Amino acid sequence: MLRFLDAGESHGKALIAIVEGIPSNFNIDMDFINNELKRRQKGYGRGDRMKIEQDRVELWSGVRGIKTTGNPITMVIFNKDYENWKELMGREPKDEEKIKIARPGHGDMVGFFKYSTGDIRDVIERTSARETAIRTAVGALCRNILKELDIEIRSKVNSIGNILDDTVDLYDDKIFKKIQSSSIRCYNSIVEEKIIEKIDMCKEQGDTIGGCIFISVKGMPIGIGSYTQWDRKLDANLSRALMSVQGIKAIEFGNGLDLSKLGSSFNDPIYYVDEKIIRTSNNCGGIEAGVSNGENIDMKVYMKPIPTVKKSLDSIDLVNRTNVVNRYERSDVCGVIPASVVLENVCAFEILKEIMSKFPCDSFQELKQYVVEYRREVYER
């Protein structure tokens, strides 16, 4: 079973993950993983924190050289900003140092009452999106393996606010190259300019903005996931993983939110052409009955605006129970662009987990052989 736990605080010494279930004898591409971390730090609307951090991961166990051994893999990313916080983070806070005013939309109030430490700082340190750095590293490791299984994951920004960049074929390399070179990660240059203007306006007004991310998984074999139990459905497990990322509020598979279609036009017709099973549409987003159907798994993921805003919002002092205005903590203006990279890698972990659930094995050679043979059986019999 593939699984991981991660730990660490936003301004703590490091972020750490222990990954169990990665097969042995796989040569890890460290440059690929570190490049994913670099991609996560880019994007228009990022805050000052990204000027401090230069994320790189270290592997402390589970590898010999760069080859996996089958043992649990420990991944570590050091926080450079820790040097600026180690005095405060290394001791009990004085009463005047404790944060007591909750920011609406954040985890401040719920965490304050749930864990009763008396300081919102303890909540902020773990609810922060800084945690997604180590999740990106874990997913990038899994994505490294998926690439060798001919499974690819790509994404783009579909919208910022109400400014839409229509979904395009992410597997047209010319189109995707343009998306990758965009600071917004969108395709339409005119739309890109409008989004930049919108983000600049939000920054000037002390506000933030959310949006939608389009993700596509190509190369998934038919039959990954299961309908036999509710907790084995592929779309359900992908949804849980994606919804666990900070700020994500909704997910759509295929065109599942298009209420204009009737059943006869929504369902994807099946054909057998030139000894291949094909569809002429992908309204279901590549999943039927909780199981992959061989088409691209297409998802739209919606992220709310970042809750930390400079604008005054009504809130309360949680200790004194008085009405106050919210406080400001260093933040991005728009987190949608880096979130697209995070979500690609969160998907990668979940996809590899499902693949290994169908093809349990100990070594990468076995895994690749099983997937190749299964594809041949499904598509060539």
Side-chain angles (χ1 to χ4, degrees), residues 92-148:
E92 286 288 323
K94 300 172 185 176
D95 187 64
E96 62 269 20
E97 293 173 328
K98 292 180 179 179
I99 301 173
K100 304 166 187 176
I101 298 173
R103 295 165 298 172
H106 213 287
D108 295 2
M109 187 183 79
V110 293
F112 180 88
F113 288 118
K114 180 173 178 63
Y115 290 106
S116 303
T117 67
D119 187 0
I120 291 175
R121 168 61 55 198
D122 298 317
V123 181
I124 297 168
E125 288 298 317
R126 189 59 182 162
T127 57
S128 166
R130 177 70 186 149
E131 182 259 355
T132 62
I134 197 66
R135 290 190 70 183
T136 298
V138 171
L141 170 61
C142 298
R143 194 170 177 181
N144 199 183
I145 295 172
L146 290 175
K147 284 174 64 180
E148 296 297 318

Side-chain angles (χ1 to χ4, degrees), residues 12-31:
K13 191 170 185 179
L15 302 169
I16 301 170
I18 297 178
V19 189
E20 184 179 32
I22 295 292
S24 65
N25 298 317
F26 180 78
N27 289 322
I28 298 175
D29 185 345
M30 292 298 295
D31 289 340

Side-chain angles (χ1 to χ4, degrees), residues 11 13 62 129 273:
H11 298 101
K13 191 170 185 179
V273 179

Side-chain angles (χ1 to χ4, degrees), residues 17-181:
I18 297 178
V19 189
E20 184 179 32
I22 295 292
S24 65
N25 298 317
F26 180 78
N27 289 322
I28 298 175
D29 185 345
M30 292 298 295
D31 289 340
F32 175 79
I33 296 175
N34 285 321
N35 188 60
E36 290 301 292
L37 293 175
K38 187 176 180 180
R39 290 177 66 223
R40 175 193 165 275
Q41 292 189 278
K42 295 180 179 179
Y44 203 80
R46 287 295 246 161
D48 292 337
R49 178 73 185 265
M50 293 305 103
K51 297 176 183 177
I52 299 171
E53 304 295 347
Q54 293 179 331
D55 292 339
R56 295 186 68 81
V57 70
E58 294 184 12
L59 303 183
W60 283 13
S61 71
V63 294
R64 191 167 184 178
I66 59 169
K67 184 177 287 187
T68 59
T69 62
N71 298 328
I73 296 174
T74 304
M75 309 182 82
V76 181
I77 299 172
F78 286 101
N79 291 326
K80 286 195 172 186
D81 204 18
Y82 172 69
E83 291 300 315
N84 301 318
W85 289 76
K86 64 181 179 181
E87 192 275 329
L88 177 62
M89 295 299 293
R91 59 169 172 78
E92 286 288 323
K94 300 172 185 176
D95 187 64
E96 62 269 20
E97 293 173 328
K98 292 180 179 179
I99 301 173
K100 304 166 187 176
I101 298 173
R103 295 165 298 172
H106 213 287
D108 295 2
M109 187 183 79
V110 293
F112 180 88
F113 288 118
K114 180 173 178 63
Y115 290 106
S116 303
T117 67
D119 187 0
I120 291 175
R121 168 61 55 198
D122 298 317
V123 181
I124 297 168
E125 288 298 317
R126 189 59 182 162
T127 57
S128 166
R130 177 70 186 149
E131 182 259 355
T132 62
I134 197 66
R135 290 190 70 183
T136 298
V138 171
L141 170 61
C142 298
R143 194 170 177 181
N144 199 183
I145 295 172
L146 290 175
K147 284 174 64 180
E148 296 297 318
L149 302 176
D150 296 322
I151 297 172
E152 191 170 1
I153 303 171
R154 292 182 176 182
S155 75
K156 67 178 286 291
V157 169
N158 210 55
S159 64
I160 299 290
N162 61 359
I163 305 172
L164 179 66
D165 182 52
D166 288 336
T167 300
V168 294
D169 181 5
L170 291 183
Y171 295 98
D172 181 317
D173 288 336
K174 287 184 179 179
I175 289 175
F176 193 62
K177 185 177 180 180
K178 186 174 180 181
I179 291 168
Q180 291 288 69
S181 65

Side-chain angles (χ1 to χ4, degrees), residues 225-242:
S226 178
Y227 50 76
T228 60
Q229 290 291 347
W230 64 270
D231 60 348
R232 294 186 61 196
K233 294 186 177 185
L234 178 60
D235 45 0
N237 289 328
L238 280 169
S239 296
R240 182 183 71 161
L242 295 170

Side-chain angles (χ1 to χ4, degrees), residues 305-321:
I306 292 169
T308 303
V309 295
K310 288 184 178 179
K311 273 188 171 183
S312 295
L313 292 176
D314 292 334
S315 185
I316 61 172
D317 182 315
L318 299 178
V319 174
N320 298 312
R321 306 295 176 99

